[in-house]
Amino acid sequence: MKILVTGGMGFIGSAVIRYALRQGHSIVNLDGLTYAANPKTLASLENNQYYEFIKADICDENAVKSVFSKYRPNAVMHLAAESHVDRSIEAPGAFIQTNVIGTYNMLHYARAYWDSLKGENRQNFRFHHVSTDEVFGDLSQDESAFCETTPYDPSSPYSASKAASDHLVRAWGRTYGLPVVLSNCSNNYGPFQFPEKLIPVVILKALYKEEIPVYGTGENIRDWLYVDDHADALLTVLQKGKLNETYNIGAENECTNLKIVEKVCVIMDELCQPSKKSHKKLITFVEDRPGHDVRYALNVNKIYDDLGWRACTQFDKGLEKTINWYLNNKDWWAPLIQKEEITNRRGLISTIL
């Protein structure tokens, strides 16, 4: 297939592109290169004849229309989104613009393009919208995991904007017949993740012997999914998923934030300073984030029963692989930190360099 990927310079999008190319597909990558995108992420593909990069914002109607007209994809994988909860609390407007208006633009021009197709091209076209488990809201520690039919109850501007985009996609499928599939994933981790998210923050804080801030008591629970497993699942949903259906994608690796931080510290102890003071001594607890959900967990029976997919990366191995990648790829993340001067008034992230 020729697949149009939005947000392909991002963490998950770039993993999808690398995976799809290995599977023999060709890729058109539409990305606006916002702060979290790094062209170095896919620099190895510059001379790949099956890969094309277009720098454009999904909110730019003319650009989106032009990409459909010029490249005529067989499918869309829509991953472009503002995704960091802390930033959504500080500046929600960007999240509404990209996640809601941008998704509308993609749907509007995908529909117009799909209407122009004939025969098998029209029949086989797919629009895959990639979303998050955060749209479902909050779980207590003893509640059953979210399933695909759990009512939405978003807590943050980020999750509310993603919930809105999910509803738009379903409406375009039901009202206009656009052939859509959706997926909601748990927390991703792995190489190439922008250093504002929990695991890379902890790695780099430990590396530079800075305090490692943990929100509240650190008892918030998340399910952790290795990004390459997620990429595999997304291609599976695109190719095998039933139209107008939603699939939860998770790894059933529930863990408290504090436990995650401690795991990273233990591995950093082994890799960076054996027999010396543990990195755990750097852990410090800071004021909790407003509206901080207690727990997310996904029931993944549907994607396994219907599509035969299950995550295969064992968490501790994936975490060690991720830490090693950051230790060996300073040339990728150091310029991002210097450029952005990552700061947060609640103390989760501060300038590392």
Side-chain angles (χ1 to χ4, degrees), residues 136-253:
F136 298 116
D138 204 7
L139 284 174
S140 67
Q141 297 199 15
D142 58 356
E143 283 184 286
S144 298
F146 300 127
C147 63
E148 286 80 358
T149 57
T150 299
Y152 279 19
D153 189 21
S155 301
S156 70
Y158 160 60
S159 56
S161 68
K162 287 298 290 184
S165 67
D166 292 7
H167 290 316
L168 288 174
V169 174
R170 291 192 180 93
W172 257 248
R174 184 165 182 174
T175 301
Y176 303 113
L178 185 69
V180 301
V181 289
L182 298 90
S183 58
N184 295 81
C185 71
S186 58
N187 280 35
N188 280 222
Y189 72 102
F192 297 104
Q193 188 170 31
F194 189 78
E196 66 182 356
K197 300 298 178 76
L198 178 62
I199 288 176
V201 164
V202 177
I203 295 168
L204 300 185
K205 288 290 192 182
L207 180 63
Y208 284 92
K209 307 297 188 294
E210 294 188 2
E211 288 187 348
I212 301 172
V214 176
Y215 276 146
T217 62
E219 294 305 309
N220 305 78
I221 298 171
R222 302 293 183 262
D223 171 31
W224 292 90
L225 171 67
Y226 192 64
V227 68
D228 288 349
D229 285 346
H230 189 196
D232 179 28
L234 292 177
L235 266 294
T236 300
V237 170
L238 179 70
Q239 295 174 290
K240 298 181 180 180
K242 185 178 179 181
L243 291 184
N244 300 307
E245 291 288 336
T246 299
Y247 298 89
N248 284 344
I249 302 173
E252 299 178 298
N253 283 322

Side-chain angles (χ1 to χ4, degrees), residues 4-233:
L4 171 59
V5 177
T6 69
M9 286 294 184
F11 170 48
I12 300 173
S14 62
V16 167
I17 288 174
R18 288 188 291 268
Y19 184 86
L21 288 169
R22 290 196 298 269
Q23 297 299 309
H25 304 295
S26 61
I27 298 293
V28 178
N29 177 9
L30 176 64
D31 195 298
L33 294 184
T34 59
Y35 78 92
N38 186 353
K40 289 184 179 180
T41 301
L42 294 177
S44 63
L45 302 180
E46 287 179 358
N47 297 318
N48 189 317
Q49 64 178 318
Y50 299 106
Y51 172 75
E52 186 83 22
F53 170 64
I54 309 299
K55 181 183 177 182
D57 190 332
I58 59 171
C59 294
D60 182 340
E61 294 185 46
N62 290 332
V64 172
K65 181 179 180 181
S66 175
V67 167
F68 276 106
S69 176
K70 180 177 180 179
Y71 293 99
R72 304 190 66 77
N74 304 118
V76 175
M77 299 187 74
H78 179 40
L79 294 100
E82 295 282 350
S83 65
H84 190 48
V85 174
D86 284 341
R87 287 180 183 267
S88 81
I89 294 170
E90 298 286 348
F95 288 74
I96 304 304
Q97 189 67 22
T98 297
N99 299 354
V100 182
I101 303 303
T103 298
Y104 161 74
N105 280 338
M106 290 301 302
L107 290 167
H108 179 71
Y109 289 104
R111 178 197 167 203
Y113 168 70
W114 175 66
D115 281 341
S116 73
L117 298 177
K118 307 293 182 183
E120 289 188 359
N121 288 333
R122 178 180 172 86
Q123 181 179 348
N124 294 332
F125 183 79
R126 296 290 183 271
F127 186 106
H128 180 184
H129 176 66
V130 180
S131 191
T132 171
D133 56 3
E134 296 192 40
V135 298
F136 298 116
D138 204 7
L139 284 174
S140 67
Q141 297 199 15
D142 58 356
E143 283 184 286
S144 298
F146 300 127
C147 63
E148 286 80 358
T149 57
T150 299
Y152 279 19
D153 189 21
S155 301
S156 70
Y158 160 60
S159 56
S161 68
K162 287 298 290 184
S165 67
D166 292 7
H167 290 316
L168 288 174
V169 174
R170 291 192 180 93
W172 257 248
R174 184 165 182 174
T175 301
Y176 303 113
L178 185 69
V180 301
V181 289
L182 298 90
S183 58
N184 295 81
C185 71
S186 58
N187 280 35
N188 280 222
Y189 72 102
F192 297 104
Q193 188 170 31
F194 189 78
E196 66 182 356
K197 300 298 178 76
L198 178 62
I199 288 176
V201 164
V202 177
I203 295 168
L204 300 185
K205 288 290 192 182
L207 180 63
Y208 284 92
K209 307 297 188 294
E210 294 188 2
E211 288 187 348
I212 301 172
V214 176
Y215 276 146
T217 62
E219 294 305 309
N220 305 78
I221 298 171
R222 302 293 183 262
D223 171 31
W224 292 90
L225 171 67
Y226 192 64
V227 68
D228 288 349
D229 285 346
H230 189 196
D232 179 28

